[in-house]
């Protein structure tokens, strides 16, 4: 066989220009030329360059991508259905169910669990088929590779079963696959008429499959055929496979591209560095045309690039052609939130954290009520606030939410001014409508086709009834989802049904992981933003490459195949090493064709620069005879101010003084001020409160509220009665707690709620048995009041309020009790030996809690009794052992109680006077490391650096 006609273009050359030079036109008619490229993008550039050279209207050549040419040849003799991967998985799943020796045994019995495995099987057998590997070779792999592990041998034998049976099935069923079309087209090319073409050009190819080698061999046997390739690493080996020998070296490159390297600590840093370079060019008045490339090998960087770099340009000044994963879009987030919510439904009750996550998604909370989204936002944020009041309540039915009077009343109050003519019934019906069209729509399915159809109707509802469509990217995202759902609804899997609703959701998630939304702009307009593979064989004057990191460039996935590395070598299948060579070839030719290149990479403890960059740096080091590459790399760094300034004081304005004049003080407000004046200002003056989250875990504050409520209900039934062992019934305490948990968590609570109930029940029984009953034996004991509220009591011109857990008569003393679930006394104790009223700095250091003296002061004023007859104590219920040692009295035994009280009364009045003093600013805490680490306002103050 004579050597085919070929043109070897230097790596720095322009493949498009060389292709145009060998075209044979008839006047301005180029249609008798056939050009085949590896992909579609090159065709756009060839047409534009040809039009520029001719300078007038013309008839272009017939230009195909290789896939398009294969379909063109195949369909000239045979018409059938080219199946999608999802259809292939459906066929493979049927074969899997029929197999006596299933792959993975029973681990992949359900279709949703089989789907990702099915995709791997399909990719592997397609690769085997296009490489023309006979089934017998796969079955007899031992003779090719030698001894392999038993598990690997079994897996390959099962793979050979799919390989053999799959293609038998599709051939008799009127289907075809990409690989089958390639093999068929290669065999049919002898009878395919190519004589009407005056020139046939294959251009830009590197690695070829066995089917492509056969096809190219037949095309290149025609005298009017020609293959054009770019010189680069490994090209001699590749063209030798189709009978081409490069006998003389290509002319060396006359110039070296100006390559600059930029290291950044993170993704945003490299985008920031790129934006600075683009801005410099814009300031100089440089053009932004298709001769400039931004290569984006990782889709993770696309949106940071759009938001922080391309925003410098007009949308007409650039073109994006990159596939973006569908699972990273807001539409997937919306659907996934809804699916998580529905999957969590138990006994017709929804899991409230998942419910709130769904209704607060922007697509849901911006559904239009009478053409207005604001009302819906008010409704769902009000529901969030009301449900957050019941943090221990985790499950409710939709009907309970729709008809809850308290929720509807609060929504009505908030909407009354916003919208006239609103009513509680209308609000309830509107909620029902949203629930029915979202949650209700995806609550049951007949099969996968029905599931896809309902998802489509849901997206239609969101499009018509919400503001989602106003988002600039909603259209491309929704179109991609609609296309994916249509594929599902028309696929061979459409009639498959799952035993559980979560099966549909699992299948959907796994399928969407394989889909992407194509950003397809005008391919020849403006600066080109392309994925790495989209840059193949194109030439640019200036290129910017982002994410030049290992595992991104090259993007090596060694786990994508069921066929082990050694077996792939034995079967002469491409390995990840071949994939890396392809990436290296296209990277090298891209760089060498440019005049200037800027390469960005992330370098930190977890990420390293690409091996391609290491090679370039090593070449530069050898040339400059330097052992260190750091001098060639520009470091992109953030300016980090590591100073830790203390927050500034806040002076009291007339408005603040007016607020303080009518302020009603509570022990928590006073304690907040003593801890930090700024904390008091943000919390009680500006009323900036931490948002209460309805989260899955039961928090410490929830446990405290449960215990306080249980004790109040228990002692409330026996208050005023002298207590003894008979009255302090353990059974009654159990009953109170059972009723409380039934209301908060439902009958028969499960999981953490069940364990919590057991723990609290045991702890409260211990409290009665080991503390109150022994106490009642020693002294007369009577509960006077529970949850005793004092409102607007005046003390020295200041208004007080508070709620006392329990008031007990113990012998001659009236004792104020406050329950704490803590075990430590450190946060509550008052160190009178260190407290000096004249030394302001000692106040915070000496006083753990103002709660007990504040209660004593309020109670004595409210009931007009002498403080001498009062006592107060905390009961630390978190102690390991419940006995008399759980008591933490207001002042230690042995101290003068009256003197301690008078000291604390003076301290409280002193603090109040300081708060009310117009000349005393709100000051930060004296000890920032003690006060700031757990403060909700540390980010406002800039003290997030402060740590214990």
């Amino acid at each position: 066989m004579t050597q085919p006609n070929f043109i070897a273009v230097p790596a720095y050359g322009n493949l498009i220009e060389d292709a145009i030079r060998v075209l044979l036109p008839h006047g301005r008619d180029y249609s008798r030329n056939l050009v085949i490229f590896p992909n579609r993008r090159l065709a756009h550039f060839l047409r534009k360059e040809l039009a520029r050279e001719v300078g007038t209207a013309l008839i272009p050549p017939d230009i195909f991508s290789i896939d398009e040419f294969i379909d063109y040849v195949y369909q000239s003799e045979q018409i059938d259905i080219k199946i999608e991967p999802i259809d292939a998985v459906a066929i493979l799943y049927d074969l899997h169910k029929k197999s006596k020796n299933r792959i993975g045994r029973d681990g992949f019995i359900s279709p949703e669990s089989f789907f990702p495995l099915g995709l791997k099987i399909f990719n592997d057998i397609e690769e085997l088929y296009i490489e023309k590997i006979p089934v017998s070779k796969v079955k007899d792999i031992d003779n090719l590779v030698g001894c392999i592990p038993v598990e690997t041998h079994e897996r390959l034998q099962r793979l050979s079963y799919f390989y053999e049976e799959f293609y038998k099935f599709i051939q008799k069923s009127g289907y075809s696959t990409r690989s089958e079309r390639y093999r068929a087209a290669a065999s049919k090319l002898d009878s395919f008429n190519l004589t009407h073409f005056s020139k046939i050009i294959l251009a830009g190819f590197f690695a070829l499959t066995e089917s492509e080698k056969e096809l190219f061999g037949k095309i290149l046997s025609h005298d009017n055929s020609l293959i054009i390739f770019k010189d680069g690493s490994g090209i001699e080996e590749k063209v030798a496979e189709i009978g081409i020998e490069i006998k003389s070296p290509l002319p060396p490159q006359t110039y070296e591209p100006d390559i600059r390297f930029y290291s950044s600590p993170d993704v945003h840093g490299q985008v920031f560095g790129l934006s600075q370079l683009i801005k410099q060019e814009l300031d100089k008045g440089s053009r932004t045309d298709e001769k400039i490339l931004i290569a984006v090998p990782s889709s993770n960087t696309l949106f940071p690039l759009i938001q922080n770099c391309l925003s410098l340009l007009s949308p007409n000044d650039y073109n994006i052609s990159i596939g973006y994963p569908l699972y990273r879009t807001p539409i997937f987030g919306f659907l996934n939130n809804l699916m998580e919510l529905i999957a969590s439904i138990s006994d017709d009750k929804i899991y409230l954290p998942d419910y709130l996550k769904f209704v607060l998604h922007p697509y849901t909370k911006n559904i239009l009520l009478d053409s207005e989204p604001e009302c819906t936002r008010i409704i769902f944020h009000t529901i969030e606030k009301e449900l957050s009041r019941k943090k221990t309540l985790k499950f409710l039915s939709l009907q309970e939410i729709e008809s809850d009077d308290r929720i509807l009343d609060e929504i009505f109050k908030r909407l009354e001014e916003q919208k006239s003519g609103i009513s509680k019934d209308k609000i309830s019906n509107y909620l029902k409508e949203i629930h029915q069209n979202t949650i209700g729509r995806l609550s049951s399915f007949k099969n996968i086709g029905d599931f896809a159809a309902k998802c489509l109707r849901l997206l239609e509802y969101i499009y018509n009834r919400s503001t989602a469509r106003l988002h600039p990217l909603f259209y491309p995202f929704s179109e991609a989802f609609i296309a994916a759902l249509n594929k599902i609804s028309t696929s061979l899997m459409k009639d498959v049904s799952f035993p559980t609703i979560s099966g549909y959701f699992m299948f959907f998630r796994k399928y969407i992981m394989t889909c992407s939304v194509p950003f397809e702009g005008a391919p020849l307009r403006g600066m080109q933003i392309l994925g790495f593979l989209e840059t193949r064989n194109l030439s640019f004057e200036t290129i910017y490459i982002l994410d030049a990191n290992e595992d991104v460039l090259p993007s090596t996935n060694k786990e994508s195949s069921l066929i082990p590395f050694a077996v792939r070598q034995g079967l002469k299948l491409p390995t990840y090493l071949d994939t890396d060579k392809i990436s290296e070839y296209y990277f090298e030719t891209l760089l060498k064709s440019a005049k200037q290149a800027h390469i960005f990479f992330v370098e930190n403890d977890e990420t390293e620069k690409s091996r391609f960059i290491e090679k370039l740096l090593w070449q530069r080091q050898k040339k400059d005879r330097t052992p260190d590459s750091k001098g060639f790399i520009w470091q992109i760094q953030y300016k980090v101010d590591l100073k830790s300034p203390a927050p500034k004081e806040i002076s009291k304005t007339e408005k603040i003084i007016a607020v303080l004049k009518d302020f009603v003080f509570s022990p928590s407000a006073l304690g907040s001020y003593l801890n930090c004046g700024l904390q008091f200002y943000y919390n009680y003056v500006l009323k900036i409160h931490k948002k209460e989250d309805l989260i899955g875990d039961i928090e410490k504050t929830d446990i405290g509220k449960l215990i306080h409520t249980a004790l109040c209900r228990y002692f409330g039934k026996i208050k005023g009665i002298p207590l003894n062992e008979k009255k302090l019934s353990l059974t009654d305490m159990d009953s109170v707690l059972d009723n409380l948990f039934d209301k908060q968590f439902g009958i028969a609570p499960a999981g953490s709620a069940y364990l919590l109930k057991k723990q609290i029940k045991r702890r409260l029984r211990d409290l009665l048995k080991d503390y109150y009953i022994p106490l009642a034996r020693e002294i007369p004991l009577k509960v006077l009041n529970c949850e005793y509220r004092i409102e607007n009591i005046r003390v020295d011109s200041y208004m007080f309020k508070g709620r006392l857990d329990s008031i007990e008569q113990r012998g001659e003393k009236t004792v104020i009790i406050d329950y704490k679930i803590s075990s430590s006394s450190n946060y509550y104790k008052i160190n009178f030996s260190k407290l000096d009223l004249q030394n302001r700095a000692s106040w915070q250091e000496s006083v753990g809690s103002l709660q007990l003296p504040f209660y004593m002061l309020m109670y004595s004023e409210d009931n007009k009794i002498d403080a001498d007859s009062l006592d107060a104590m905390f009961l630390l219920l978190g102690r390991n052992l419940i006995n008399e040692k759980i008591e933490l009295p207001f002042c230690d035994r042995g101290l003068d109680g009256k003197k301690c009280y008078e000291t604390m009364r003076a301290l409280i009045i002193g603090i109040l006077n300081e708060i009310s003093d117009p000349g005393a600013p709100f000051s930060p805490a004296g000890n920032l490391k003690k006060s700031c680490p757990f403060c909700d306002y540390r980010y406002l103050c800039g003290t997030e650096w402060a740590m214990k």
Side-chain angles (χ1 to χ4, degrees), residues 770-879:
D770 299 327
Y771 178 75
Y772 272 105
I773 290 175
L775 182 64
R777 291 183 187 137
E778 292 181 10
I779 58 172
L781 177 62
K782 182 166 54 177
V783 174
L784 302 177
N785 228 317
C786 299
E787 295 281 341
Y788 182 69
R789 293 179 180 273
I790 300 176
E791 300 285 350
N792 299 327
I793 188 73
R794 189 171 293 277
V795 179
D796 280 20
S797 78
Y798 297 108
M799 298 296 291
F800 284 15
K801 67 176 180 179
R803 185 184 64 188
L804 287 61
D805 287 348
S806 180
I807 312 296
E808 298 175 6
Q809 190 67 40
R810 298 189 175 191
E812 300 298 322
K813 285 276 190 181
T814 300
V815 184
I816 298 170
I817 302 296
D818 194 84
Y819 302 112
K820 298 295 182 187
I821 62 171
S822 175
S823 62
S824 173
S825 62
N826 295 336
Y827 297 105
Y828 310 111
K829 198 168 184 179
I830 301 172
N831 190 336
F832 286 96
S833 64
K834 288 186 178 181
L835 178 60
D836 181 359
L837 293 179
Q838 306 306 314
N839 180 6
R840 178 63 175 84
S842 75
W843 295 2
Q844 183 185 4
E845 295 299 322
S846 306
V847 179
S849 172
L850 288 166
Q851 204 167 356
L852 294 181
F854 190 95
Y855 287 161
M856 293 173 70
L857 179 56
M858 274 202 313
Y859 192 82
S860 65
E861 292 288 339
D862 189 45
N863 291 274
K864 308 303 179 187
I865 61 175
D866 195 326
D868 285 350
S869 61
L870 281 177
D871 198 359
M873 67 177 66
F874 295 113
L875 294 185
L876 304 178
L877 306 184
R879 291 276 172 89

Side-chain angles (χ1 to χ4, degrees), residues 648-784:
K648 296 179 180 179
E649 296 177 338
I650 296 175
S651 300
K652 293 170 184 169
T653 64
E654 290 183 5
K655 288 185 178 180
I656 292 174
I657 297 298
V659 170
L660 295 175
K661 184 179 178 181
D662 299 323
F663 195 84
V664 181
F665 291 92
S666 65
S668 57
L670 218 58
S672 176
Y673 181 84
L674 182 61
N675 181 55
C676 175
L678 297 181
Q679 187 184 85
F680 175 88
Y681 170 72
Y682 289 127
N683 195 357
Y684 295 98
V685 178
L686 295 186
K687 299 186 183 300
I688 300 173
H689 304 306
K690 180 184 177 182
K691 180 180 175 182
E692 290 291 334
D693 294 323
L694 187 65
I695 58 175
D697 296 330
I698 302 171
E699 294 182 315
K700 192 174 182 179
T701 53
D702 303 327
I703 298 171
K705 288 176 183 178
L706 278 169
I707 290 176
H708 280 71
T709 303
L711 289 171
C712 178
R713 291 184 182 181
Y714 176 80
F715 285 119
K717 294 179 179 180
I718 54 176
K719 70 180 180 180
I721 303 171
L723 299 181
N724 53 39
E725 188 169 354
K726 185 177 180 181
K727 294 294 183 183
L728 293 166
S729 168
L730 304 186
T731 305
D732 288 349
M733 178 62 83
D734 289 347
S735 178
V736 166
L737 203 60
D738 286 338
N739 291 332
L740 180 61
F741 265 78
D742 287 349
K743 183 177 179 181
Q744 294 276 19
F745 297 97
I747 298 172
S752 60
Y754 172 77
L755 294 175
L756 178 62
K757 179 180 177 180
K758 299 283 285 185
Q759 290 171 337
I760 292 178
K761 184 177 285 190
R762 184 171 62 248
R763 178 51 39 131
L764 294 186
R765 287 174 67 95
D766 290 345
L767 180 66
L768 295 181
K769 178 169 58 73
D770 299 327
Y771 178 75
Y772 272 105
I773 290 175
L775 182 64
R777 291 183 187 137
E778 292 181 10
I779 58 172
L781 177 62
K782 182 166 54 177
V783 174
L784 302 177

Side-chain angles (χ1 to χ4, degrees), residues 293-425:
L293 165 73
I294 299 178
V296 189
S298 171
S299 61
N300 295 343
T301 310
L302 178 59
F303 277 94
L305 176 68
I306 291 173
Q307 294 163 358
N308 300 309
C309 181
L310 299 184
S311 56
L312 298 171
L313 305 171
S314 164
N316 294 325
D317 290 337
Y318 62 86
N319 160 65
I320 300 177
S321 294
I322 295 175
Y324 188 74
L326 271 187
Y327 72 88
R328 300 194 64 179
T329 64
I331 294 179
F332 178 79
F334 167 76
L335 293 172
N336 192 53
N337 286 356
L338 178 54
M339 291 174 186
E340 285 182 353
L341 165 61
I342 294 171
S344 72
I345 293 176
S346 176
D347 296 328
D348 292 327
K349 292 182 181 289
I350 58 172
Y351 184 52
L352 294 181
D354 284 347
Y355 173 76
L356 289 181
K357 188 164 67 170
F358 169 68
V359 298
L360 295 178
H361 188 281
Y363 289 176
T364 316
K365 70 178 183 180
N366 284 296
I367 291 173
L368 304 174
L369 174 58
D370 297 337
S371 304
E372 297 175 355
E374 293 83 3
C375 294
T376 309
R377 292 199 292 269
I378 291 172
I379 288 171
F380 284 127
H381 280 293
T382 304
I383 290 175
E384 177 194 25
K385 183 177 180 180
E386 291 304 309
L387 291 180
S388 296
R389 296 177 188 273
K390 312 171 184 178
K391 293 182 70 176
T392 54
L393 188 64
K394 300 304 178 189
F395 287 89
L396 276 178
S397 68
L398 291 175
Q399 292 74 18
E400 287 174 308
I401 296 173
E402 294 159 0
S403 60
D404 188 298
D405 285 332
R406 178 165 180 169
I407 291 176
L408 294 175
D409 285 339
E410 284 299 315
I411 294 173
F412 178 74
K413 287 178 189 176
R414 292 170 180 244
L415 284 180
E416 200 172 12
E417 295 182 4
Q418 179 81 17
K419 187 172 184 60
S420 60
I422 197 75
S423 67
K424 287 171 61 176
D425 285 342

Side-chain angles (χ1 to χ4, degrees), residues 122-133:
F122 178 58
N123 290 335
D124 281 344
I125 62 176
E126 277 283 88
E127 190 175 15
L128 291 167
Y129 201 82
I130 202 170
E131 294 291 352
K132 304 171 71 173
I133 307 294

Side-chain angles (χ1 to χ4, degrees), residues 284-299:
K284 290 190 295 186
S286 302
R287 70 188 192 284
T288 55
D289 58 19
E290 73 279 1
K291 295 295 183 181
I292 302 173
L293 165 73
I294 299 178
V296 189
S298 171
S299 61

Side-chain angles (χ1 to χ4, degrees), residues 50-68:
L50 186 60
R52 189 187 64 79
E53 285 201 8
V54 174
T56 186
L58 56 87
I59 302 174
D62 278 1
I63 308 175
F64 293 94
S65 70
I66 184 63
D67 280 353
E68 290 169 338

